[in-house]
Amino acid sequence: AADQGDATAQSNIGIMYSSGQGVAQDYFQAMSWYLKSADQGYAAAQSDIGSLYQNGHGVPQDFLAAMDWYLKAAEQGNGRAQYNIGWLYEKGCGVLQNYSSAMGWYLKAADQGDAPSQNNIGHLYEKGLGVPQDYSLAMHWYLKATDQGDADAQSNIGVLYHDGHGVPQDYSQAMGWYQKAADQGDTTAQYLVAWLYENGLGVSKDRTKAIEWYRKAIAVGDEDAEVCLNRLEQETNDSDRSEIQRGYFKGLFK
């Protein structure tokens, strides 16, 4: 189909090369197929070319080139491209940082049901970036994203309950939301699940579970979790040594 000029098939071949599905991962080949599709005006391929430039996959990282390709796709209503333009504005990559512009683009994508955009709108409201700080609106947008299973939004709702922002502080609710995100592999949530178990907040204190969840977070590179685990294991070792010493001295003075 691609050889006959089918833009969707060309784009899909690009996706397979980009992700290494059924073929060796090859960003150069991915770009080649995306370009064939993008030259026919296929928005998804234009967006994916932008992603290659944004991440420096197969090409030098170039945020300006990424923005150019995203705009081509976004003008056709591509939600993923609209999200990425919002992200570039929020982070100030290739453009001056502009939270209001970020919000505008996130809203375009969110209106199409894009969960990461809904989550990021919630984040802007939570932090008061480009908009007045509003925890209620933050929760509103996070919940829209969690309806689609977005792990970042689940973790962020946990933080609102953890800190008592816009809702009564409730560690049990925080743990529930952290757990949802942690079960999807969200590193921050895994760390916070461990922290709540360690401190017995919202759950019974459980050192074993705390260690288990700190190790999950460490496995994907969370340095804070590593610090906490080392401290917790050291405390455990010190406690064990003290118990042994108490038993020894009891034996001496029977």
Side-chain angles (χ1 to χ4, degrees), residues 69-118:
W69 281 102
Y70 287 148
L71 284 169
K72 291 178 188 292
E75 287 166 0
Q76 298 186 65
N78 183 275
R80 181 50 26 181
Q82 291 167 344
Y83 163 82
N84 284 323
I85 293 171
W87 188 92
L88 292 176
Y89 273 115
E90 181 183 351
K91 305 301 180 183
C93 293
V95 290
L96 291 175
Q97 190 175 51
N98 188 317
Y99 294 120
S100 295
S101 293
M103 176 65 87
W105 283 102
Y106 286 148
L107 283 168
K108 290 178 186 290
D111 286 343
Q112 298 187 62
D114 185 74
S117 293
Q118 293 166 343

Side-chain angles (χ1 to χ4, degrees), residues 221-241:
D222 190 298
E223 295 180 0
D224 290 335
E226 187 168 6
V227 171
C228 289
L229 178 63
N230 290 337
R231 171 181 49 72
L232 195 55
E233 289 183 332
Q234 183 61 49
E235 290 173 359
T236 300
N237 291 336
D238 290 344
S239 176
D240 289 345
R241 279 195 295 271

Side-chain angles (χ1 to χ4, degrees), residues 47-71:
S47 180
D48 286 335
I49 291 172
S51 182
L52 292 181
Y53 275 113
Q54 179 178 334
N55 295 294
H57 288 162
V59 290
Q61 189 176 51
D62 187 333
F63 292 119
L64 289 175
M67 177 66 87
D68 182 58
W69 281 102
Y70 287 148
L71 284 169

